[in-house]
Amino acid sequence: MSTFPILIRPFGVHAILVEWPKEVQESILTDILQFKEYLGTCLDAGTWEMVPAYNSLTLIQRGNTIDFKSFSEQLSVWYTEKKEVLAGPKFQWRLPVCYDLDFGIDLEDLSFRSGLSIPEIVALHTGNTYTVYGIGFLPGFMYLGGLDKALEIPRKTTPRLNVAKGAVGVAGKQTGIYPQDSPGGWNIIGNCSIPIFDANKEPPCFVNVGDQIQFYSISRAAYDLHKIEGEVGIYKIEKIKLDA
């Protein structure tokens, strides 16, 4: 089982931040998720919340304040002795995206700046499988690593005041989906036709950190159909269970 140098530091009086090397690596994410599963056997799930992302794990105590010195020492011991705990299943989710120019409002700019045609951009974006390294910023906003280097483009200097729900964007080495209308500075290349977050469902977001995402291109007509199917609750999201 992999072991990395970790840094444990206070994150307020009710939380502790455990940090791994500041690199985007699946091996680091796997180690974080394995440690999270092990801590689940050591801590009371009713009073602790654990939030994994990229190269960190945040531990939040919902009730009492944390004695940082003693608890950090205990965390170091647990990390050293961590045993592999059977984790829940992970999935690869296939999500439909319409790359129509009405949705992909930055496609032409990305095409100009990258030297790629729009069909080439779509082919590259749908040709990779992405790892969910974190969920945050907005409920259900997935930070997806694995973007083709040819599609890397900086965030916009001036964010838009409103980015549409379902907008698929790229920024730096990442891609992601806006789960609701919000301000945002990513470059928008399409729109996902199915909802990623629904507060009325349990769980409200069907994706977890460590899952994989694969996009596939759909027509505008298929996009409109998916919207209707989603509204009446009959759309079935494609998923494949990944090997443990």
Side-chain angles (χ1 to χ4, degrees):
M1 186 182 300
S2 299
T3 299
F4 295 88
I6 61 171
L7 174 65
I8 302 173
R9 59 189 181 92
F11 203 54
V13 296
H14 287 279
I16 279 184
L17 184 65
V18 186
E19 295 181 304
W20 277 253
K22 295 186 182 301
E23 302 172 24
V24 179
Q25 293 184 18
E26 288 206 33
S27 58
I28 290 176
L29 182 64
T30 297
D31 191 55
I32 292 170
L33 294 176
Q34 287 177 343
F35 189 39
K36 174 179 177 288
E37 292 296 329
Y38 180 58
L39 288 178
T41 68
C42 305
L43 300 173
D44 180 1
T47 60
W48 286 91
E49 180 180 355
M50 294 183 279
V51 183
Y54 275 105
N55 63 343
S56 69
L57 179 64
T58 305
L59 307 176
I60 304 167
Q61 168 56 250
R62 296 192 182 97
N64 301 320
T65 58
I66 298 172
D67 181 335
F68 175 73
K69 185 177 184 300
S70 63
F71 190 68
S72 62
E73 290 172 353
Q74 181 63 71
L75 280 175
S76 296
V77 171
W78 281 333
Y79 182 67
T80 301
E81 71 178 20
K82 68 180 186 294
K83 303 175 181 65
E84 190 163 354
V85 178
L86 185 63
K90 290 184 173 54
F91 297 95
Q92 180 185 107
W93 303 89
R94 297 192 71 242
L95 302 182
V97 177
C98 180
Y99 296 90
D100 189 283
L101 288 179
D102 287 344
F103 297 131
I105 52 181
D106 293 314
L107 268 174
E108 291 179 321
D109 181 55
L110 178 56
S111 176
F112 175 77
R113 297 173 67 175
S114 67
L116 299 168
S117 68
I118 290 177
E120 288 173 329
I121 291 171
V122 173
L124 288 174
H125 193 251
T126 56
N128 278 6
T129 299
Y130 304 95
T131 298
V132 183
Y133 278 95
I135 299 176
F137 163 57
L138 295 168
F141 187 98
M142 300 176 287
Y143 289 90
L144 305 178
L147 186 68
D148 192 285
K149 189 172 181 61
L151 298 182
E152 292 180 13
I153 183 173
R155 287 172 53 95
K156 290 188 165 298
T157 304
T158 303
R160 291 184 172 93
L161 294 179
N162 187 57
V163 175
K165 175 181 177 180
V168 177
V170 293
K173 299 179 181 295
Q174 302 174 108
T175 187
I177 306 170
Y178 285 79
Q180 61 193 66
D181 293 351
S182 77
W186 289 30
N187 303 274
I188 307 305
I189 63 172
N191 194 285
C192 180
S193 56
I194 61 172
I196 303 300
F197 181 87
D198 186 340
N200 295 316
K201 291 185 177 180
E202 183 56 45
C205 180
F206 55 86
V207 178
N208 292 300
V209 173
D211 282 356
Q212 295 180 354
I213 301 293
Q214 186 174 42
F215 297 114
Y216 65 95
S217 178
I218 58 171
S219 66
R220 182 61 181 267
Y223 175 92
D224 293 338
L225 176 60
H226 290 176
K227 281 289 192 181
I228 296 171
E229 291 175 334
E231 288 173 1
V232 298
I234 62 173
Y235 183 85
K236 299 298 182 183
I237 302 172
E238 297 182 47
K239 67 178 181 179
I240 301 170
K241 187 175 181 180
L242 301 174
D243 294 333

